Amino acid sequence: MRMLTSTTGVSKHLPDMHEGHLPIHVNNVRNKLRSIVGASTNWSDHVQAMNERKALHTLLAKNQADLPPRKMRDSHIEVILPLGSQPEIREKYLNVNNTVRFGRILEDLDSLGVLICYTHTKHEAVQKSPLSIVTALVDKIGLWKKVIHPDCDIKFTGNVTWVGRTSMEVKMHVLQLQNDVYCPMLDATFVMVARDPENKRPAFVNPLIPEGPEEEKIFKEGELNKMRRTDFNKASLLKMAPTAEERTIIHDIFLNTLDQRTVSFRSRVLPPNSVWMEDAKLKGLEICHPQERNIFNRIFGGFLMRKAYELGWATACSYGSSRPYVIAVDDIMFQRPVEIGSLLFFSSQVCYTEENFIQVRVHSEVYNSDTRQHHTTNVFHFTFMSENQIPQIVPKTYGESMLYLDGKRHFDSAMKETQP
């Protein structure tokens, strides 16, 4: 089973595509995105800016074949976060443990992923892109080190690695300068989708042509990732019954919680060193202000990820009574956009534990005060490792048992994906 380390040293091969590309300062990424789509920095101008984008419909390709193919190196970008050389930006990224806030890294990854896709689809003759590119899915993020230091420069790199008709897979890497060497901190895989200028309908993107055996292997991995996600979705416990092995796991848990002094299925007793699942929850609320908007004047997906992560971290911290370290993020699906002014509810739940690992599920939903209806926007899955031994989580109801099995599936997948 994979264990995080805190030592230095380059342990993974990273593609070298940097020729001809100058690094971008992290503060300029959002500015570049605004320029690409013609978004205003003033909230009061957002209606006019969005109306102007309607005229860009004529620039959309009618077929993918009409678009020139791209290579992986065409979309390669490097972004520098100079925490060491520019201490004045450090506080934004600093947490109370004197390490880098992982939620801020999630925000930067989300912005970078979008910029990479706009670079892939760039048309030199067009000043503003007709595409609205948004994050559809965070497929997986695997961390290689327990701690990201707040006083050393960080480099983000990434490029498009697979393309469908209207979607793109982006792989990104985060490295930190240690002893004059950039060492891998984490790897991330995002899936982005392209839509029309009004963000209403799918739009075609440039095809991708891999060069050489290594890129062909990377491209094939993108195809396999898509198939894996499809299979995982088909086997969802919201659609299919648990497997025979999973049913046995749940029944064993049930038998282990029966009160042996009674002959009753209703009498339940919590085993030693255990916690009922219903007692391992935290909730949060955000009022969605214009400050957190994206270039399309909806709530920035990176902000949603940061808030969900921080609530998930707090849940793991209170559950394990010690500082948890995130080791994996997977399967964050952006099901619907969050509008400015929404009431956004977060509900965090410990759903699976194994040894000193804690699997946390965070559910987010928006509340419409006019219709008084709640709509799910995202479900987040975080895998944490606690410094200490932790109690075992125990489901009581059938619904909690399904959460437990779903958490186990995500945990097993995260452990498999993040093995070196």
Side-chain angles (χ1 to χ4, degrees):
M1 183 172 291
R2 177 184 181 278
M3 295 297 292
L4 295 177
T5 68
S6 56
T7 58
T8 60
V10 178
S11 59
K12 287 176 64 62
H13 173 72
L14 299 174
D16 183 12
M17 302 181 180
H18 68 275
E19 294 183 9
H21 294 270
L22 294 176
I24 303 169
H25 192 288
V26 70
N27 289 344
N28 292 332
V29 172
R30 297 286 289 274
N31 294 333
K32 281 183 170 289
L33 289 173
R34 291 190 189 97
S35 176
I36 289 170
V37 302
S40 172
T41 56
N42 297 319
W43 164 245
S44 58
D45 299 334
H46 75 281
V47 174
Q48 178 184 345
M50 289 299 104
N51 285 335
E52 291 175 354
R53 282 189 58 78
K54 293 180 181 179
L56 300 176
H57 270 279
T58 57
L59 300 176
L60 291 175
K62 300 295 188 295
N63 295 287
Q64 189 179 37
D66 297 335
L67 295 168
R70 298 281 193 253
K71 300 172 183 177
M72 289 189 186
R73 66 172 181 266
D74 293 335
S75 62
H76 182 77
I77 291 178
E78 289 188 2
V79 172
I80 296 297
L81 172 56
L83 295 178
S85 51
Q86 295 182 11
E88 63 272 16
I89 68 173
R90 193 177 296 166
E91 189 167 311
K92 174 183 175 182
Y93 288 84
L94 190 65
N95 66 28
V96 70
N97 296 304
N98 199 37
T99 60
V100 169
R101 295 170 62 183
F102 181 67
R104 291 296 188 192
I105 299 298
L106 290 176
E107 290 183 325
D108 291 338
L109 285 171
D110 193 44
S111 295
L112 175 59
V114 175
L115 182 59
I116 287 171
C117 290
Y118 272 118
T119 304
H120 174 83
T121 58
K122 184 178 180 180
H123 194 306
E124 295 294 344
V126 176
Q127 185 176 4
K128 295 180 183 178
S129 174
L131 299 177
S132 298
I133 297 177
V134 296
T135 306
L137 173 73
V138 178
D139 186 34
K140 53 193 172 186
I141 300 176
L143 285 88
W144 301 104
K145 300 291 174 67
K146 288 173 64 176
V147 171
I148 303 177
H149 301 285
D151 55 357
C152 300
D153 286 359
I154 290 175
K155 180 167 67 176
F156 298 81
T157 70
N159 59 276
V160 173
T161 53
W162 176 86
V163 169
R165 291 193 307 162
T166 63
S167 61
M168 294 163 280
E169 180 190 87
V170 177
K171 287 191 181 296
M172 293 171 282
H173 313 281
V174 177
L175 307 97
Q176 186 159 51
L177 189 62
Q178 297 175 357
N179 299 323
D180 297 323
V181 176
Y182 274 107
C183 303
M185 294 286 120
L186 66 83
D187 299 322
T189 304
F190 282 43
V191 177
M192 308 292 185
V193 293
R195 303 178 70 81
D196 66 14
E198 297 179 78
N199 200 10
K200 292 182 178 179
R201 295 180 179 85
F204 293 111
V205 298
N206 302 66
L208 180 67
I209 298 179
E211 294 183 302
E214 184 176 351
E215 289 192 5
E216 288 176 359
K217 179 182 177 182
I218 294 172
F219 189 87
K220 183 67 178 296
E221 287 176 358
E223 290 280 3
L224 294 175
N225 286 338
K226 181 183 178 181
M227 295 171 57
R228 171 180 52 79
R229 290 191 295 267
T230 300
D231 292 342
F232 197 88
N233 185 53
K234 287 180 179 178
S236 168
L237 292 166
L238 293 172
K239 300 176 181 179
M240 300 286 290
T243 65
E245 181 183 356
E246 291 173 331
R247 291 195 297 269
T248 300
I249 291 172
I250 293 303
H251 191 65
D252 287 344
I253 292 175
F254 173 72
L255 293 178
N256 195 39
T257 60
L258 286 180
D259 189 345
Q260 300 298 324
R261 298 170 300 178
T262 66
V263 188
S264 172
F265 289 117
R266 294 180 178 273
S267 298
R268 308 287 293 277
V269 176
L270 186 66
N273 194 32
S274 300
V275 175
W276 290 121
M277 189 178 285
E278 64 186 8
D279 297 325
K281 298 179 181 179
L282 286 180
K283 294 183 181 293
L285 167 67
E286 290 292 329
I287 301 173
C288 298
H289 297 292
Q291 179 185 8
E292 308 301 343
R293 70 188 187 279
N294 62 16
I295 53 177
F296 304 114
N297 290 291
R298 285 166 167 158
I299 293 299
F300 172 43
F303 171 77
L304 301 176
M305 287 194 283
R306 174 166 67 86
K307 288 298 181 179
Y309 164 75
E310 289 175 351
L311 183 64
W313 184 93
T315 305
C317 182
S318 61
Y319 182 84
S321 299
S322 65
R323 177 185 175 186
Y325 296 91
V326 61
I327 65 167
V329 182
D330 80 308
D331 196 26
I332 299 177
M333 179 73 73
F334 289 81
Q335 299 183 18
R336 63 189 301 151
V338 179
E339 303 292 343
I340 303 297
S342 299
L343 294 180
L344 184 63
F345 293 88
F346 290 97
S347 178
S348 180
Q349 169 78 72
V350 175
C351 55
Y352 180 75
T353 55
E354 184 173 313
E355 298 177 353
N356 62 329
F357 294 96
I358 305 172
Q359 187 71 30
V360 177
R361 179 183 189 268
V362 181
H363 177 268
S364 67
E365 60 183 19
V366 290
Y367 174 69
N368 187 317
S369 58
D370 295 328
T371 63
R372 296 189 176 183
Q373 291 182 323
H374 292 257
H375 298 285
T376 297
T377 61
N378 303 81
V379 178
F380 306 84
H381 301 276
F382 302 105
T383 306
F384 294 96
M385 181 176 67
S386 180
E387 291 181 319
N388 302 326
Q389 289 299 310
I390 58 171
Q392 297 303 299
I393 199 73
V394 179
K396 186 182 289 185
T397 67
Y398 186 80
E400 289 177 349
S401 297
M402 296 303 100
L403 279 177
Y404 182 90
L405 292 178
D406 186 63
K408 185 179 187 305
R409 290 181 179 185
H410 283 285
F411 174 78
D412 291 343
S413 174
M415 291 298 100
K416 178 182 177 181
E417 292 288 346
T418 54
Q419 286 178 350

